[in-house]
Amino acid sequence: MSEQIKDLAEMPREFLKDGTQFINRCTKPDKREFLKISQAVGVGFLVMGVIGYVVKLIHIPVNNILVGGA
């Protein structure tokens, strides 16, 4: 029983230690890295938009024709 209590008390300490190490290792992105991330996000938005447009333009009307426009 005593060992379980020790384990429960150790968890928050370990979590705080790991969290502090993580925060200390994190760095703010420089300009080049930020631009690269922004470009990747922009391409992702573009691709998802094209996929959505194609689905709306092609899939939905074809599905209505097949189903019968109920």
Side-chain angles (χ1 to χ4, degrees):
M1 187 72 166
S2 173
E3 193 172 307
Q4 287 178 337
I5 295 173
K6 286 181 184 177
D7 286 344
L8 282 174
E10 187 67 28
M11 281 182 191
R13 272 191 222 119
E14 219 173 286
F15 178 76
L16 284 173
K17 183 180 141 199
D18 290 344
T20 320
Q21 286 177 348
F22 177 75
I23 293 295
N24 288 338
R25 272 193 226 140
C26 290
T27 57
K28 199 172 180 183
D30 59 354
K31 188 176 182 179
R32 202 180 97 220
E33 187 179 6
F34 180 76
L35 287 174
K36 206 168 200 176
I37 292 170
S38 299
Q39 286 174 342
V41 170
V43 168
F45 269 103
L46 191 67
V47 168
M48 291 304 288
V50 167
I51 290 172
Y53 184 73
V54 167
V55 167
K56 186 173 177 132
L57 192 67
I58 296 171
H59 177 71
I60 293 175
V62 168
N63 194 26
N64 284 339
I65 291 169
L66 293 176
V67 173

